[in-house]
Amino acid sequence: VQLVESGGGLAQPGGSLRLSCAASGFTFSFYSLGWFRQAPGKEREFVATITWGGGSPSYADPAKGRFTVSRNNAERTLYLHLRDLKPEDTALYYCARRRRPFDSSGGDLGEEYDTWGQGTRVTVFS
């Protein structure tokens, strides 16, 4: 089971980035997935989650209206589109897989996930 993030980089405030998370080693379409981030000197925090079927995306307050989570089950890839970036979005962004298949409840706690990628870094600077 493996998750590999990509797409991070440098952006100016107001800019956009699209993060990807490529999955392998499990039946991708069976699992709800999430995005978390960890800023320097801070604890990891929830960003967004999407259910195994691709519906019911849920976002943390800082992400609402600016970030969009989506998935392509045929391509086994999870996405996070970041828009209107702010310096406080600077962090290492991780994708993660829920512990149980077909679990659509919750999803905003790290303990609900059992597999994590290595992260992709997003830096927003002016």
Side-chain angles (χ1 to χ4, degrees), residues 3 6 11 20 29 58 69 75 80 83-84 109 113 117 124:
L3 300 171
S6 62
S20 299
S29 60
S58 177
V69 60
E75 295 183 354
L80 184 68
R83 299 180 181 86
D84 189 22
L109 300 176
Y113 298 82
V124 184

Side-chain angles (χ1 to χ4, degrees), residues 80-99:
L80 184 68
H81 194 172
L82 315 176
R83 299 180 181 86
D84 189 22
L85 284 163
K86 303 176 180 180
E88 52 263 42
D89 295 320
T90 295
L92 191 61
Y93 284 73
Y94 300 91
C95 62
R97 189 195 79 167
R98 295 290 293 274
R99 291 186 182 277

